[in-house]
Amino acid sequence: MGKGGKEMLDNATPAEAGATDLPLIPKSGLESSRKTLIIFASPRPQGNTAMLVEKLKGELEGPVVELSVFHSRIAPCTDCRGCWKKARCVVRDEMDTIYNDDFDNVVIASPIYFGTMPGSMLSVMSRMQPWHVATFFLKKPLVQRPKKAAAILTAGGKGNWGAVRHHLGAFFRMLNAQGWSENLVCSTNTDAIPSSEDIAALEGVSKLASWLNSPDDGSLKNKSDWEF
């Protein structure tokens, strides 16, 4: 085991390496419903972002897996280039939850700090390097199932979304996750009005949940069918 409990394995699949199990929140009798991965980026378990996430989880009909990146062991990419041969990260940690591609929906829920997401979320995004390598260096893009994407963002002030939108777009494209720009909930000015009192944000989360619960109507495309 290396620093921080991470194991460097050159030739192990996530299953062989003992990928970290995360809490699965099942909804009984709905085994055929869509499975949602929520990537929670806030360090505040009772904060504004968390409140909106709890509302979302309460309205999702299928199983939910929540990955709290701030409290995870996920470290940023160190450019070790271990993924250059097989387009697979050699570090085994909670990123395997994302690498395994075992979900139908993916939601990023994050506060905005100084115009961007917290460092722990950016660390997760940096670990998408295997997708970049596969697409642009090896010329063999990884096959990812089409999935729905959405985002919940909160900000103490008026919000500065430019850099955040860029990061979200790049991350979701790598995952072949689509629709996030039309399914984005933003709760701003939370220093004065908490998200629990932001009617527009609360209604937006309900609409987001309804969309994530609905079956694919054929609008989701394979990555090769849309602009990368």
Side-chain angles (χ1 to χ4, degrees):
M1 285 294 214
K3 184 178 180 180
K6 300 178 181 63
E7 186 176 359
M8 306 295 288
L9 300 173
D10 291 324
N11 298 299
T13 65
E16 291 167 343
T20 303
D21 292 329
L22 292 172
L24 180 64
I25 307 171
K27 302 295 179 68
S28 60
L30 293 166
E31 291 80 1
S32 62
S33 299
R34 299 179 64 86
K35 180 178 179 180
T36 301
L37 170 64
I38 299 177
I39 303 175
F40 179 62
S42 175
R44 300 179 62 222
Q46 305 298 325
N48 290 290
T49 309
M51 196 286 303
L52 294 178
V53 166
E54 287 304 309
K55 178 174 176 58
L56 175 64
K57 290 193 295 185
E59 298 187 22
L60 289 173
E61 296 174 353
V64 177
V65 174
E66 183 174 349
L67 172 59
S68 179
V69 297
F70 189 85
H71 298 288
S72 74
R73 297 175 297 121
I74 298 174
C77 176
T78 61
D79 195 24
C80 72
R81 308 196 177 185
C83 64
W84 279 32
K85 291 183 178 180
K86 297 183 179 180
R88 185 175 65 219
C89 185
V90 298
V91 178
R92 297 274 70 82
D93 55 20
E94 291 97 326
M95 276 299 295
D96 285 335
T97 303
I98 298 173
Y99 292 155
N100 288 344
D101 196 33
D102 182 29
F103 45 92
D104 306 292
N105 306 321
V106 55
V107 179
I108 290 179
S110 176
I112 305 302
Y113 297 154
F114 293 95
T116 191
M117 287 177 280
S120 55
M121 187 66 229
L122 298 181
S123 292
V124 168
M125 292 183 168
S126 74
R127 292 282 298 283
M128 300 303 287
Q129 184 67 5
W131 275 256
H132 183 85
V133 167
T135 302
F136 298 107
F137 295 167
L138 301 179
K139 306 300 182 183
K140 296 180 180 179
L142 298 175
V143 177
Q144 296 286 295
R145 62 199 288 190
K147 53 187 72 70
K148 294 182 179 182
I152 297 173
L153 304 175
T154 62
K158 62 181 180 180
N160 183 355
W161 315 113
V164 176
R165 293 181 69 90
H166 172 78
H167 288 136
L168 289 174
F171 181 80
F172 286 136
R173 282 196 299 273
M174 292 292 180
L175 286 179
N176 197 10
Q178 305 157 44
W180 71 271
S181 59
E182 296 84 20
N183 294 278
L184 171 64
V185 174
C186 300
S187 181
T188 59
N189 197 31
T190 58
D191 287 344
I193 303 175
S195 293
S196 59
E197 300 176 13
D198 187 339
I199 302 303
L202 295 172
E203 292 177 348
V205 169
S206 292
K207 291 179 180 178
L208 191 155
S210 178
W211 179 69
L212 294 174
N213 287 332
S214 64
D216 177 19
D217 59 4
S219 61
L220 297 182
K221 305 176 183 179
N222 291 321
K223 187 180 291 186
S224 59
D225 298 333
W226 58 293
E227 184 178 358
F228 194 84

